Amino acid sequence: MKVTYHKAYSDSLQRDMEYKTYGHQGKPVLVFPTSCGRFYQYEDSGMIGTLESYIEQGQIQVWTCDSIDEETFYAKHSSTDEKMKRYDQYDAYVKNELIPSILHQSKESNGGQTLKILATGCSLGAYHSANMFFRHPQYFDSLIALSGLYSTNRFFGEEVPPSAYYHSPLHYLKNLEDDSYLNQYRNSQIIICTGQGAYEDLMRSETQKLLEVLQEKHVPASVEFWGYDVNHDWYWWRKQILYYMNWCLS
């Protein structure tokens, strides 16, 4: 398997950012880590190994990026507005720096063919992947979000602060009427999954709410609730990503 490591200074974040790429060609897949996770977490947790056959066969090419959760949602000594200003900068990094790099490399890897990106992640990584997918659908055509939260309620309470509104999908999607966005969602493959076992209660609740919002907007999505023995854990996420990646590629 071809594996490359990248480190570059981000103008948006005013700091170095790192990521790894796995594979030589195929559909570009952008992976966001779990809470405060790093770019190497997906490999260390066995997810790259789980997807190895798809990568080696040239069906997918995977990018695993860094988060800055410790500077945003988990920044203990920052105000809500400061946290969300920093998250705006992270969003700008992903949109204006990371994604263009992915699309450029993907086009070179795929003989000049331009392919949209599949976004994915587990736990808070599912939140990041969903938020980026819904905010920037011009770059994405697929989403696999596993055991995710889809609002900022856990961090800021039920009353979403103005600075967090446009990073809280359950809130901004509910009020979205712009067909230029909605039609892109309708033409994408959206997969949302959560278990119903230990530590999945909040994720199950927000997954159900997201399902209802997407149904209200007439956006097709595959939303699934796995069994009561399915916990918030890498063991299950490895099973789920293999199942849903096969679904996406078939």
Side-chain angles (χ1 to χ4, degrees):
M1 181 192 306
K2 180 182 179 181
V3 181
T4 59
Y5 164 78
H6 304 264
K7 181 177 181 178
Y9 185 78
S10 166
D11 290 330
S12 298
L13 293 169
Q14 298 291 292
R15 56 167 280 190
D16 288 332
M17 292 295 286
E18 298 170 89
Y19 65 89
K20 290 182 79 171
T21 304
Y22 304 84
H24 60 284
Q25 66 178 34
K27 184 167 188 61
V29 176
L30 174 57
V31 177
F32 293 88
T34 65
S35 300
C36 300
R38 296 297 310 280
F39 66 95
Y40 47 76
Q41 181 196 57
Y42 211 66
E43 179 180 350
D44 289 353
S45 300
M47 299 290 271
I48 292 296
T50 297
L51 296 173
E52 183 175 5
S53 63
Y54 295 113
I55 297 170
E56 290 192 334
Q57 292 169 20
Q59 293 179 276
I60 60 174
Q61 193 172 13
V62 180
W63 279 255
T64 58
C65 70
D66 260 338
S67 73
I68 60 163
D69 296 334
E70 71 283 355
E71 300 174 32
T72 57
F73 295 117
Y74 291 96
K76 294 181 180 179
H77 304 295
S78 298
S79 69
T80 296
D81 286 350
E82 289 171 336
K83 292 176 182 179
M84 297 317 298
K85 180 179 179 181
R86 191 61 172 155
Y87 196 88
D88 283 334
Q89 294 168 347
Y90 181 66
D91 179 89
Y93 159 71
V94 173
K95 177 186 176 184
N96 299 325
E97 299 177 48
L98 181 59
I99 287 176
S101 177
I102 291 172
L103 293 176
H104 175 76
Q105 186 176 344
S106 173
K107 188 172 183 177
E108 286 191 343
S109 299
N110 291 286
Q113 183 180 11
T114 299
L115 300 174
K116 284 194 170 185
I117 300 168
L118 186 159
T120 189
C122 310
S123 193
L124 193 60
Y127 159 80
H128 291 311
S129 63
N131 189 42
M132 296 297 175
F133 172 89
F134 288 121
R135 283 173 57 85
H136 309 300
Q138 67 270 35
Y139 301 119
F140 300 98
D141 65 1
S142 306
L143 171 67
I144 303 176
L146 306 176
S147 298
L149 297 171
Y150 304 106
S151 77
T152 59
N153 291 358
R154 175 185 174 188
F155 301 101
F156 307 129
E158 293 293 323
E159 293 295 325
V160 60
S163 59
Y165 177 85
Y166 286 108
H167 292 297
S168 191
L170 284 177
H171 293 93
Y172 66 72
L173 288 175
K174 188 172 182 64
N175 296 315
L176 181 64
E177 301 295 340
D178 188 341
D179 278 335
S180 68
Y181 279 81
L182 293 171
N183 286 334
Q184 289 183 87
Y185 306 155
R186 291 165 184 152
N187 290 303
S188 296
Q189 190 164 35
I190 300 173
I191 297 170
I192 314 290
C193 176
T194 185
Q196 301 182 75
Y199 310 111
E200 291 280 69
D201 288 349
L202 183 56
M203 290 68 181
R204 184 171 70 249
S205 172
E206 295 218 345
T207 296
Q208 179 62 41
K209 291 176 182 177
L210 181 58
L211 170 61
E212 293 167 2
V213 170
L214 293 175
Q215 288 176 334
E216 288 174 7
K217 300 298 178 181
H218 305 290
V219 174
S222 299
V223 181
E224 298 197 344
F225 300 84
W226 285 29
Y228 288 93
D229 61 334
V230 179
N231 302 328
H232 197 80
D233 183 78
W234 289 105
Y235 172 82
W236 289 105
W237 297 332
R238 287 192 292 270
K239 291 181 177 292
Q240 290 165 354
I241 195 62
L242 187 62
Y243 177 77
Y244 290 119
M245 191 62 71
N246 181 62
W247 188 351
C248 279
L249 296 175
S250 61

